[in-house]
Amino acid sequence: MAGLGTRFLPATKATPKEMLPVVDKPAIQYVVEEAAGAGLSDVLLVTSRSKKAIEDHFDRNPELESALEAKGDDARMEATRASDRLADVHSVRQGEAKGLGHAVLCGKGHVGDEPFAVLLGDDLIDERDHLLARMVDVQEQHGGSVVALLEVPRDQVDLYGCAELAPGSAVDQGEEGDVVTITGMVEKPDPADAPSNLAIIGRYVLDPSVFEVLEDTPPGKGGEIQLTDALQTLAGREGPGGGVRGVVFRGRRYDTGDKVEYLKAVIRLASARADLGPDLQPWLKEWVESGFDDSMPTHAPVE
């Protein structure tokens, strides 16, 4: 998570991009909630020097809690305490932004010899879709490593890592419907050379053998240590720790690293909430039907 968040400047000049609010929670809280919901109670945040606010968010704030308690504001008290009750949250700093592979390697001392999940802070998976839990199940059943895949238009594959599938492991003919065997991966390929239109999105369940591979992985595309390069090695390895499978995801994903997609995420998640949707949805419908008339009131008229 050591990126600088330059696409959201000036908002991210002093605020980590992972702390930008999505409705009324920072984006990173959705990610930790997803991990906790999949049964992962130990969470390691890979941060950087400018991102102490992320660590603070998952700690208690006694002064704020005392103020809310004095006012009898139980609802906001519970909302404030929710983040520090989610999981046992730790942090480690990535001194330099050397790529996702390097960020994963920063967690080696914490993870040990157990399989572990990697969740990128820019990718939000709707809580109604249980992608991570499914990936954990696949890893427990088959071993090796598991990545999340998303079908994208072929002209967009150069924005992602791209998966090459084993012969006979087509998307609609996977071993278990949504599970495919991966034989290779390419980081941000030219669309003309891409082996498929299956993009690797920000969810991984990895065998700990990935650490030794990352330690020997030289910088790749962009001069960074690419996790896809290490997974490419593991995909061709037989025996313990070897093999990579993909879970093809067809649910709701929000890319909060892109301005337009971030706004879509806020609107969709707010519209789905019981406390906000009943007021927001009719207004959105009216505004769309007005042809996005900027003069339309943003509130209901007072009768």
Side-chain angles (χ1 to χ4, degrees):
M1 296 194 304
L4 297 175
T6 53
R7 282 184 284 182
F8 282 85
L9 286 170
T12 51
K13 179 180 178 181
T15 302
K17 63 179 181 176
E18 296 86 358
M19 290 299 294
L20 293 177
V22 180
V23 189
D24 55 4
K25 294 186 292 190
I28 190 62
Q29 183 168 331
Y30 288 87
V31 177
V32 176
E33 287 175 348
E34 180 187 355
L40 308 181
S41 60
D42 188 278
V43 174
L44 178 69
L45 303 172
V46 181
T47 66
S48 63
R49 181 180 57 81
S50 61
K51 299 194 176 187
K52 187 174 183 299
I54 300 174
E55 301 168 22
D56 291 344
H57 181 71
F58 294 99
D59 198 358
R60 292 192 61 178
N61 187 329
E63 295 82 3
L64 177 58
E65 292 173 21
S66 295
L68 293 172
E69 185 177 14
K71 292 196 298 184
D73 196 338
D74 295 337
R76 287 190 175 88
M77 168 75 84
E78 285 302 309
T80 300
R81 291 297 314 276
S83 59
D84 64 83
R85 291 173 173 170
L86 284 171
D88 188 6
V89 179
H90 311 266
S91 65
V92 63
R93 290 194 174 185
Q94 182 184 15
E96 297 180 68
K98 295 182 179 179
L100 178 56
H102 179 259
V104 171
L105 196 52
C106 288
K108 178 181 178 181
H110 185 86
V111 170
D113 297 325
E114 298 294 326
F116 63 102
V118 175
L119 294 79
L120 302 193
D122 284 349
D123 270 333
L124 303 189
I125 303 297
D126 196 292
E127 66 179 359
R128 293 166 289 184
D129 298 310
H130 305 291
L131 171 61
L132 184 59
R134 173 65 175 143
M135 294 174 67
V136 170
D137 288 343
V138 171
Q139 199 282 331
E140 290 177 346
Q141 180 178 354
H142 296 286
S145 296
V146 182
V147 302
L149 302 175
L150 182 73
E151 292 184 86
V152 300
R154 185 166 283 273
D155 61 0
Q156 294 180 16
V157 294
D158 59 337
L159 301 175
Y160 303 87
C162 182
E164 180 178 357
L165 305 187
S169 188
V171 175
D172 295 327
Q173 302 170 355
E175 306 150 30
E176 300 165 47
D178 61 340
V179 180
V180 294
T181 298
I182 295 175
T183 57
M185 279 159 282
V186 183
E187 183 66 22
K188 298 181 179 178
D190 185 292
D193 301 323
S196 74
N197 69 330
L198 288 173
I200 302 168
I201 58 173
R203 296 295 180 271
Y204 308 81
V205 179
L206 304 177
D207 185 89
S209 61
V210 73
F211 290 126
E212 67 173 86
V213 179
L214 284 169
E215 289 174 332
D216 294 329
T217 299
K221 195 156 191 173
E224 299 181 334
I225 299 175
Q226 301 291 348
L227 179 59
T228 49
D229 290 343
L231 290 173
Q232 169 80 24
T233 298
L234 290 177
R237 178 181 291 182
E238 298 182 359
V244 178
R245 287 176 172 80
V247 171
V248 182
F249 181 60
R250 297 185 175 91
R252 289 154 286 203
R253 167 187 175 256
Y254 311 107
D255 179 3
T256 59
D258 175 84
K259 286 183 182 178
V260 172
E261 294 300 319
Y262 169 82
L263 293 172
K264 290 179 184 178
V266 173
I267 293 168
R268 290 187 63 175
L269 289 170
S271 296
R273 280 182 37 168
D275 60 333
L276 300 174
D279 290 330
L280 180 60
Q281 290 178 22
W283 181 84
L284 281 172
K285 184 175 185 292
E286 183 181 355
W287 190 42
V288 170
E289 291 175 347
S290 76
F292 304 102
D293 181 3
D294 287 341
S295 66
M296 194 185 98
T298 56
H299 58 275
V302 178
E303 298 181 359

